[in-house]
Amino acid sequence: QAQFEESGGGQVQPGESLRLTCTPSGCGLGRYAVGWFRRAPGKEREGVSCINISDGVTYYADSVKGRFTISRDNTKNTAYLQMNSLKPEDMVLYYCAASSYQGSNWAGEYAYWGRGTQVTVSS
């Protein structure tokens, strides 16, 4: 069964950057649209960004537009979320997810989820 794992989380100061990565095991990434979601304690899961399988069409939540960039390199079997100009409100747990459909900010379409990587933004 396909499994996905996130990495790259950590602690940074406001304004700094992090790059999250998402890698599968047991399958090739090229079969899936990839989404990044996040959830703060006590809040609903939020769709951050997604990238589809074929033509790389992407989606970004308004809260991250202009700061975050999603990409994928199927030759390396890896998807990325470059996060720049991080803010304290970005300090949450981030998940990558994979969908056999086109990809969207709707979590219900994603069948495979990683366990999450923590991002901490603090001065």
Side-chain angles (χ1 to χ4, degrees):
Q1 183 174 347
Q3 294 182 325
F4 289 78
E5 182 176 6
E6 310 89 343
S7 62
Q11 181 169 350
V12 296
Q13 295 187 350
E16 294 185 340
S17 300
L18 281 173
R19 188 176 75 163
L20 305 183
T21 62
C22 175
T23 54
S25 58
C27 67
L29 186 68
R31 299 174 54 186
Y32 301 100
V34 177
W36 286 96
F37 293 80
R38 65 186 183 183
R39 180 160 56 192
K43 294 190 176 182
E44 293 292 322
R45 183 167 44 191
E46 175 190 15
V48 175
S49 185
C50 69
I51 184 167
N52 72 5
I53 299 174
S54 54
D55 55 10
V57 171
T58 59
Y59 158 86
Y60 294 97
D62 288 342
S63 57
V64 305
K65 279 181 182 176
R67 301 188 298 123
F68 290 13
T69 303
I70 191 170
S71 61
R72 63 190 298 157
D73 186 340
N74 291 339
T75 65
K76 295 182 178 179
N77 221 29
T78 304
Y80 306 94
L81 184 68
Q82 178 68 42
M83 305 187 297
N84 298 330
S85 302
L86 283 163
K87 303 176 180 181
E89 52 263 42
D90 296 319
M91 183 170 66
V92 294
L93 195 62
Y94 286 76
Y95 301 88
C96 77
S99 166
S100 299
Y101 300 99
Q102 282 299 301
S104 71
N105 65 329
W106 179 53
E109 101 165 57
Y110 293 85
Y112 304 104
W113 291 82
R115 294 185 177 184
T117 185
Q118 179 67 42
V119 171
T120 301
V121 184
S122 174
S123 56

